[in-house]
Amino acid sequence: QVQLVESGGGLVQPGGSLRLSCAASGFTLDYYAIGWFRQAPGKEREGVSCINYSDSSTYYADSVKDRFTISRDNAKNTVYLQVSSLKPEDTAVYYCAAVLEWGVTTVQAMCLGKHGLDHWGQGTQVTVSS
């Protein structure tokens, strides 16, 4: 079965950190661009960070720049999102998604929702609260 599975979410205090993981099963992430998206209640989905395959180029939304870091371990078929200096407004369900990189003009365009995405995970909840 082809799927993406996120993990690593949880409840954390403001200023805390988490490492979110996006593991692929049933297919390899080789040649896939991967994005992390989030959606808070009552808000539109937001592209948080995206990473390419061939050159690992990255994009970050302004709201998370310098606080979040995306990385990929192709040997483990997994993409990570290190989230640090968390704020209450980071509270959301975080999803990862994948698309073959030749279907993407830039990782920024991917994160801005300008491309259809092939696979989505079920999401992991991140709650930032004291």
Side-chain angles (χ1 to χ4, degrees):
Q1 183 179 3
V2 172
Q3 60 179 350
L4 294 172
V5 179
E6 302 95 335
S7 61
L11 173 64
V12 62
Q13 292 186 341
S17 299
L18 291 169
R19 189 175 79 159
L20 308 183
S21 298
C22 171
S25 63
F27 71 110
T28 174
L29 290 179
D30 291 356
Y31 306 110
Y32 277 87
I34 308 297
W36 283 95
F37 299 79
R38 67 185 180 185
Q39 189 163 24
K43 294 189 175 181
E44 291 189 357
R45 187 175 64 200
E46 174 188 21
V48 174
S49 182
C50 294
I51 185 168
N52 209 346
Y53 171 77
S54 56
D55 60 3
S56 292
S57 57
T58 58
Y59 166 83
Y60 295 93
D62 287 343
S63 58
V64 307
K65 204 169 292 184
D66 299 325
R67 300 189 298 121
F68 290 11
T69 303
I70 191 170
S71 62
R72 62 191 303 159
D73 185 336
N74 294 327
K76 293 184 177 180
N77 218 24
T78 301
V79 174
Y80 303 98
L81 185 69
Q82 178 72 38
V83 298
S84 304
S85 302
L86 284 163
K87 306 174 182 180
E89 52 264 42
D90 294 317
T91 296
V93 178
Y94 284 70
Y95 301 89
C96 64
V99 62
L100 287 166
E101 69 169 9
W102 45 81
V104 172
T105 52
T106 66
V107 286
Q108 178 179 1
M110 179 184 179
C111 264
L112 293 179
K114 297 187 183 299
H115 299 294
L117 303 178
D118 297 329
H119 306 291
W120 285 88
Q122 83 291 345
T124 186
Q125 176 72 47
V126 173
T127 303
V128 185
S129 175
S130 55

